[in-house]
Amino acid sequence: MDSEPPSSPQVVEDGGEEDEEELSGGEEADLRSSSGRGSLLTRRGITLRVLLKDGLVEPGDGVLAIHYLGKNFVGDLLNDGKIRWVETGQIFNSPSAWATHCKRLVNPAKKSGCGWASVRYRGQKLVQYKTTWLHKYQPSADMSLVSEEDDDEDEEEGKTAMQADEKNKNTKPGLHDVMVSRRTDRERIPVRYCSLGTRDAARDPHTLVELSAFSAINRFQPFNVAVSSNVLLLMDFHCHLTTSEVVGYLGGRWDTNTQLLTVLRAFPCRTRLGDREAASAVEEEICQNLFMRGLSLVGWYHSHPRGPALPSLQDIDSQMDHQLRLQGSNNGFQPCLGIICGPYYHGNQGVASTITPFWVVPPPEQRPNDYGIPVAVEVTYVQDNFLTSDVLNEMMLLVEYYRAAPDLVHFNQYWCPDTTMLDKIKGSLSCHAPKDQAYSQILEHVYSQLSSMH
């Protein structure tokens, strides 16, 4: 990755039949003038150059990425809207050209790359920025112009559920109510751990795995866990704000005498999963906050926005890595708790999010190449008497961070026929909030901010 690109980079134009058309400067200038005159731009007309000129994306090194069948590809977005593959320095005219080239390296039978659905800009699929452009400059456009480009069948899990949601996101509030569709992308069926066998590089890392019980593997849970309700409230709030995955850390204390892990504080990461530069700064800030409060890092959480709150193979490996790092080099035992929050999965019971604490037991010594075993962790939830100023401040910071995000949930739309997205988040958070009326009024202020975010 650190090698210098060749002095005369090869320009690759073959992007399959879905490659975008390049527009002349005059045609780009005419894009807005067509708006409102009965003439709508097709999806092929919106190029990276158009998004760059209108400020929806910015050129930068390593801001583009493709994740395909366990392989990662990183690209630079150039000033002219072309893409430079970091590894070789090759130049590609469009997302489709780059995606097709990369995917054929992994799977030679691949015919096209689904570029705008496969390439991510700072962690978000490019098709979302295309939709944002249409909403801004052609608000009357049929969003199916964007949705023609389905997610690739081998693409990673539908973290953004673009196809079902983008129509609803771009409906003008007040014209009519639109119910948010249930998932139309392939429903991922969890598998049992016993069906996995030895690690297989060809297996989809986003395969979901059912949790085992400690008793089912002839183990006792080696530690007890108590989680503050304020932790659940802030974590659940964070996971509700966007259709993309979010992640955060858990702070607390580990008592070696009682073998009790107490989780006292959630620290949401206000950054995109693909933004490595911002991630390091955010993590440093969280470390300082932990130190100032006399807390230790005791775990992490992330969301599966529309899927079951069960770990994927990738989650299992990440959890095992966190457990080993937290244990340190002295072989002393300190548990690391993983939590998955599923806010918008329609298999949930009612409006409450499914929250799944889990841990990973290493595979048997005689089978070192097996996956770790994901097990359900029994947790005691401790009801807090009040919302701390830290929690309320963090909620408002999250509101501001996601306010202009292209994947922001529209809380005035409907989650199901008789429940808006705002009602959904209120109902879920009520499971964790203090019952005191004063704190209900404080939360109403936060909810009013959500309603004004569109």
Side-chain angles (χ1 to χ4, degrees):
M1 284 288 186
D2 294 329
S3 58
E4 289 293 323
S7 56
S8 299
Q10 174 190 0
V11 178
V12 181
E13 297 182 353
D14 177 22
E17 54 189 43
E18 61 174 324
D19 200 8
E20 295 79 15
E21 300 169 358
E22 285 296 317
L23 301 181
S24 68
E27 286 174 317
E28 286 180 352
D30 287 340
L31 295 184
R32 288 168 203 70
S33 65
S34 68
S35 181
R37 297 183 183 179
S39 173
L40 290 176
L41 181 68
T42 68
R43 66 183 173 91
R44 293 180 184 274
I46 308 173
T47 64
L48 277 175
R49 195 164 66 191
V50 172
L51 299 184
L52 282 165
K53 287 192 174 184
D54 288 323
L56 271 71
V57 297
E58 296 178 351
D61 294 340
V63 296
L64 300 176
I66 295 172
H67 310 290
Y68 180 68
L69 295 180
K71 302 295 183 182
N72 297 322
F73 304 89
V74 178
D76 304 329
L77 178 55
L78 305 181
N79 292 319
D80 59 1
K82 294 182 179 180
I83 298 169
R84 180 173 58 215
W85 184 18
V86 170
E87 186 145 342
T88 65
Q90 290 171 279
I91 305 295
F92 297 84
N93 281 335
S94 69
S96 296
W98 184 43
T100 299
H101 180 80
C102 293
K103 290 185 177 184
R104 284 176 180 169
L105 294 176
V106 181
N107 176 15
K110 193 68 184 165
K111 295 181 180 179
S112 64
C114 290
W116 286 76
S118 301
V119 178
R120 292 176 180 268
Y121 171 79
R122 298 190 183 278
Q124 299 305 308
K125 292 182 181 180
L126 282 176
V127 70
Q128 289 183 275
Y129 295 91
K130 182 184 289 190
T131 303
T132 300
W133 189 98
L134 277 176
H135 180 45
K136 184 174 182 180
Y137 293 110
Q138 294 184 346
S140 59
D142 180 358
M143 289 304 135
S144 63
L145 293 174
V146 179
S147 300
E148 292 172 31
E149 213 169 44
D150 293 347
D151 282 5
D152 189 85
E153 70 274 12
D154 293 314
E155 192 57 52
E156 65 177 359
E157 67 180 271
K159 295 175 184 175
T160 55
M162 277 295 305
Q163 206 173 343
D165 235 43
E166 288 303 333
K167 281 190 177 182
N168 299 321
K169 278 189 181 181
N170 292 278
T171 302
K172 285 186 176 180
L175 292 179
H176 57 280
D177 293 326
V178 180
M179 187 179 79
V180 175
S181 302
R182 292 173 183 265
R183 284 184 54 146
T184 57
D185 55 326
R186 185 184 72 236
E187 188 73 38
R188 294 186 304 150
I189 307 300
V191 302
R192 300 184 66 182
Y193 175 81
C194 60
S195 70
L196 292 176
T198 305
R199 285 181 177 275
D200 182 356
R203 189 184 292 274
D204 182 356
H206 303 288
T207 300
L208 298 180
V209 183
E210 293 180 0
L211 293 178
S212 301
F214 277 100
S215 58
I217 57 174
N218 297 317
R219 298 280 193 98
F220 290 101
Q221 183 170 310
F223 51 89
N224 297 314
V225 182
V227 179
S228 155
S229 63
N230 278 345
V231 169
L232 298 176
L233 185 141
L234 182 53
M235 177 179 66
D236 200 10
F237 181 77
H238 185 198
C239 295
H240 269 92
L241 296 182
T242 168
T243 57
S244 301
E245 271 199 17
V246 301
V247 67
Y249 292 104
L250 303 173
R253 297 188 179 93
W254 167 240
D255 189 323
T256 55
N257 295 322
T258 61
Q259 298 290 286
L260 175 63
L261 185 73
T262 307
V263 184
L264 298 169
R265 178 74 198 276
F267 295 91
C269 290
R270 296 189 299 279
T271 183
R272 295 294 177 181
L273 294 183
D275 191 345
R276 294 182 181 178
E277 288 186 13
S280 60
V282 168
E283 289 179 0
E284 177 62 28
E285 180 185 350
I286 290 174
C287 286
Q288 292 177 359
N289 281 332
L290 284 166
F291 178 76
M292 289 170 56
R293 289 166 175 77
L295 301 177
S296 301
L297 180 64
V298 297
W300 67 300
Y301 70 86
H302 73 285
S303 66
H304 287 181
R306 288 182 178 78
L310 292 171
S312 66
L313 293 176
Q314 189 176 61
D315 297 334
I316 291 171
D317 285 344
S318 295
Q319 172 65 18
M320 179 63 74
D321 185 52
H322 288 317
Q323 289 175 195
L324 292 174
R325 288 187 181 186
L326 218 57
Q327 178 175 300
S329 57
N330 59 3
N331 293 321
F333 177 76
Q334 177 182 335
C336 172
L337 184 68
I339 297 180
I340 302 172
C341 179
Y344 293 116
Y345 179 51
H346 278 278
N348 293 345
Q349 296 295 318
V351 296
S353 301
T354 298
I355 294 176
T356 305
F358 76 106
W359 199 61
V360 173
V361 175
E365 290 185 6
Q366 64 272 23
R367 299 180 62 88
N369 294 323
D370 283 6
Y371 295 96
I373 307 169
V375 289
V377 172
E378 292 186 7
V379 172
T380 299
Y381 296 110
V382 180
Q383 180 64 54
D384 289 304
N385 294 324
F386 56 89
L387 295 177
T388 65
S389 58
D390 280 348
V391 171
L392 292 170
N393 181 57
E394 193 64 53
M395 293 174 80
M396 296 309 299
L397 289 173
L398 287 169
V399 168
E400 290 307 312
Y401 178 77
Y402 289 105
R403 183 177 293 278
D407 52 356
L408 173 71
V409 170
H410 281 212
F411 292 98
N412 295 324
Q413 293 175 352
Y414 278 77
W415 180 66
C416 64
D418 58 352
T419 305
T420 65
M421 302 297 267
L422 187 60
D423 292 334
K424 160 74 176 76
I425 189 173
K426 285 183 177 182
S428 189
L429 265 59
S430 69
C431 301
H432 323 302
K435 306 308 178 185
D436 189 291
Q437 189 64 33
Y439 299 107
S440 298
Q441 293 173 358
I442 293 174
L443 285 177
E444 283 299 327
H445 171 69
V446 177
Y447 298 143
S448 69
Q449 295 296 309
L450 296 182
S451 298
S452 66
M453 289 170 73
H454 311 292

